Amino acid sequence: MSANRFGPMIAALALALAAPGAVQARGRVQPGRWEVTATVELPGVASPAPTTQVECLSQQDVDADPAPGLEQGACRATDVVRSGDRVTWKLDCGPAGKGGGEVVYESPTAYSGWMTLESGGAVVRTTLHARRLGGC
């Protein structure tokens, strides 16, 4: 199975998880400089190396509703449910596929989560771990 087959799926997941602000929950994390590491698992092919990005989150970013940040490109978040320190959602990326995800806020300075996207019977899973590095 070719990694190129998963190109659109990886792009959709990357867009959905690209910014730490995309998965913030009001009052759950602190503003500041955040490092997010994402790992993509591809069925039947060698998975790409994990990617890490650093972004500065303002108070406005932290206070924003997470659902709009999940809606990137052709993808739309549906059935967003917030329960305690957990946010779950379904993802509809049109012809690129469907999936879902979850983020758990472990503390005001750390969160982790996952997202899946299914297309043509194949499921791509992305996991992420984030930590606050300090002020911006």
Side-chain angles (χ1 to χ4, degrees):
M1 192 173 294
S2 166
N4 290 337
R5 174 176 179 233
F6 297 104
M9 294 169 68
I10 294 170
L13 285 174
L15 285 172
L17 293 175
V23 292
Q24 300 311 313
R26 288 181 210 129
R28 299 286 182 217
V29 297
Q30 297 175 353
R33 199 169 66 131
W34 282 80
E35 175 186 79
V36 180
T37 300
T39 303
V40 177
E41 301 168 33
L42 300 168
V45 297
S47 295
T51 59
T52 300
Q53 81 173 44
V54 176
E55 181 176 334
C56 181
L57 293 179
S58 68
Q59 186 65 51
Q60 182 178 352
D61 294 328
V62 170
D63 292 341
D65 185 10
L70 293 169
E71 297 181 355
Q72 301 288 328
C75 295
R76 298 289 171 249
T78 64
D79 301 327
V80 177
V81 176
R82 294 160 191 87
S83 177
D85 292 336
R86 184 176 314 266
V87 177
T88 61
W89 65 91
K90 291 181 182 175
L91 193 62
D92 182 352
C93 296
K98 296 187 183 304
E102 173 182 85
V103 169
V104 176
Y105 300 96
E106 298 151 1
S107 74
T109 60
Y111 66 87
S112 62
W114 57 267
M115 183 180 290
T116 60
L117 187 61
E118 180 177 356
S119 178
V123 178
V124 175
R125 180 179 174 93
T126 300
T127 57
L128 68 136
H129 299 281
R131 64 187 180 115
R132 186 176 183 274
L133 301 174
C136 295

